Amino acid sequence: MAEASKPPRAMMSVVTSGKDQGAEEEKKRISTGISALDSLIEGGLPEGKSYLIAGEPGSGKTIFCMRFILRSLGDGEKVVYIPVDEKPTEIVGNAASLGWDLKKYVTGGQLLMLDVALSQGAANKEVDVAKVVTDLASYVTRAGASRLVIDPAEPLISSPDSSKTSRQQARLLMRSLQDTMPGMTSLLTLNASAHSGVGVDWEDYPVNGVILLGFRREQRRLVRTLLVNKMRGTAIDLVERQFSIVKDAGILIEATSPEAVAPRVPEAVAPRAPEAPSQPSETQKPQAEQIMFREWHG
Ligand SMILES: Nc1ncnc2c1ncn2[C@@H]1O[C@H](COP(=O)(O)OP(=O)(O)OP(=O)(O)O)[C@@H](O)[C@H]1O
Ligand SMILES: [Mg+2]
């Protein structure tokens, strides 16, 4: 009897104090575009933060980004996408091979794709990260975008002399994104070969979450793997899942009971001692690499 007189659950959750509403806002999640992944991270990515999708070449980073972009567009959000290593035309073609039409969103003004040009001899120079972020922010503002995807991030933090400087560049990139575009949800990809052990690692990016894509050998074949390695404010199980890349769905995570796959700690990276934030003096500073962005309209 008492049970029948209780208000429905939905009604109860509407009546919250101001403090509770704040807590609700903090928990707002946005879909990755991969429903099985969303359910592993309490419904999706906490909104307004930066995430790293790291993995070996061919592990599916770009396809992951495309799924996220399409879901965001489907949800009515505007997106700025910078495919740094590939031409927008190629990206649109690859998306079409998976059954996805990115072009219509470009034409419709919901998706802004930026073509990237590096200056001559760029590989040996240091990128002016702050300028890159300022440039990107102006495109984001013009597009009215709430989502930003940079695929991959390395060329934007390039530095010729040492991985130490590149690590500082990585931190500067993340800080600048957060400071210049507060509230923006961004995905960045990173080529992380488990075997290289050199250069900038995903651990050098102070992001809110990290998803590692890779391969695992099973007898005579490789299987694709996905591991949520870090997600602030979220319980994660650190279980590596198998997935396939298939038309339409994109990334299809295979149903696995947590016991079936032994948790695998990602390739060990020795913890690094914190570094004093140092900036090279003006005289030491190598000439800045120019990175130019151009709107792509197809
Ligand atoms: N239409 C498709 N159908 C099935 N699988 C596909 C299709 N298109 C691409 N793939 C698979 O996806 C893989 C590449 O994925 P993706 O481009 O996302 O990798 P990546 O991690 O971004 O690689 P890179 O580091 O080189 O940028 C290909 O090697 C291929 O196996
Ligand atoms: Mg890629």
Side-chain angles (χ1 to χ4, degrees):
M1 199 62 180
E3 188 64 30
S5 62
K6 275 186 186 171
R9 289 184 70 82
M11 270 178 68
M12 288 196 292
S13 65
V14 169
V15 187
T16 53
S17 69
K19 191 167 170 240
D20 289 342
Q21 280 169 9
E24 286 297 311
E25 271 168 34
E26 270 173 38
K27 280 190 209 149
K28 190 171 177 199
R29 304 274 168 163
I30 59 175
S31 175
T32 59
I34 304 163
S35 54
L37 173 58
D38 291 343
S39 62
L40 296 175
I41 51 173
E42 298 181 11
L45 303 168
E47 192 177 36
K49 308 282 183 192
S50 299
Y51 299 91
L52 208 57
I53 313 303
E56 297 165 57
S59 56
K61 302 180 295 295
T62 298
I63 291 171
F64 188 108
C65 290
M66 290 198 274
R67 266 323 296 160
F68 173 73
I69 291 168
L70 282 159
R71 175 60 197 251
S72 299
L73 295 168
D75 288 342
E77 302 293 330
K78 292 192 172 168
V79 182
V80 172
Y81 179 23
I82 306 116
V84 181
D85 275 354
E86 290 172 85
K87 291 281 158 203
T89 321
E90 292 168 339
I91 292 288
V92 167
N94 294 343
S97 81
L98 287 153
W100 305 331
D101 185 359
L102 283 179
K103 183 77 187 294
K104 76 171 181 201
Y105 293 104
V106 173
T107 312
Q110 252 188 287
L111 172 63
L112 174 60
M113 290 179 80
L114 298 180
D115 198 359
V116 178
L118 305 179
S119 59
Q120 286 286 29
N124 297 319
K125 296 176 190 168
E126 183 173 318
V127 169
D128 183 346
V129 173
K131 181 179 182 310
V132 164
V133 174
T134 309
D135 289 351
L136 289 182
S138 71
Y139 285 108
V140 163
T141 305
R142 259 211 321 263
S146 59
R147 313 270 161 93
L148 175 69
V149 176
I150 303 175
D151 174 28
E154 289 102 323
L156 306 190
I157 60 154
S158 159
S159 172
D161 48 5
S162 70
S163 56
K164 179 181 170 191
T165 317
S166 289
R167 286 201 288 277
Q168 288 168 349
Q169 295 268 86
R171 288 195 202 110
L172 180 60
L173 174 66
M174 301 320 302
R175 223 180 11 244
S176 307
L177 284 176
Q178 216 65 58
D179 292 349
T180 319
M181 299 173 237
M184 170 69 66
T185 306
S186 45
L187 281 196
L188 292 89
T189 72
L190 187 68
N191 275 304
S193 168
H195 314 290
S196 78
V198 294
V200 186
D201 217 301
W202 60 263
E203 293 193 335
D204 296 311
Y205 289 77
V207 287
N208 204 59
V210 177
I211 294 169
L212 298 178
L213 303 181
F215 301 97
R216 187 180 60 227
R217 181 169 288 282
E218 273 191 0
Q219 295 177 340
R220 293 177 63 188
R221 68 173 192 139
L222 293 178
V223 295
R224 298 186 182 279
T225 60
L226 179 150
L227 175 75
V228 181
N229 192 272
K230 162 181 170 178
M231 197 59 60
R232 287 182 185 148
T234 308
I236 51 173
D237 63 9
L238 292 175
V239 173
E240 186 181 75
R241 260 86 184 177
Q242 257 179 246
F243 73 92
S244 316
I245 294 177
V246 291
K247 202 169 172 181
D248 297 324
I251 289 182
L252 200 64
I253 297 179
E254 289 165 26
T256 313
S257 70
E259 295 73 26
V261 178
R264 191 190 75 165
V265 177
E267 210 63 28
V269 181
R272 296 193 182 96
E275 287 157 12
S278 68
Q279 286 290 328
S281 70
E282 279 308 311
T283 47
Q284 290 172 316
K285 223 171 194 173
Q287 196 187 343
E289 175 181 331
Q290 292 294 312
I291 296 191
M292 285 152 288
F293 301 105
R294 267 194 308 265
E295 289 189 22
W296 182 83
H297 298 289

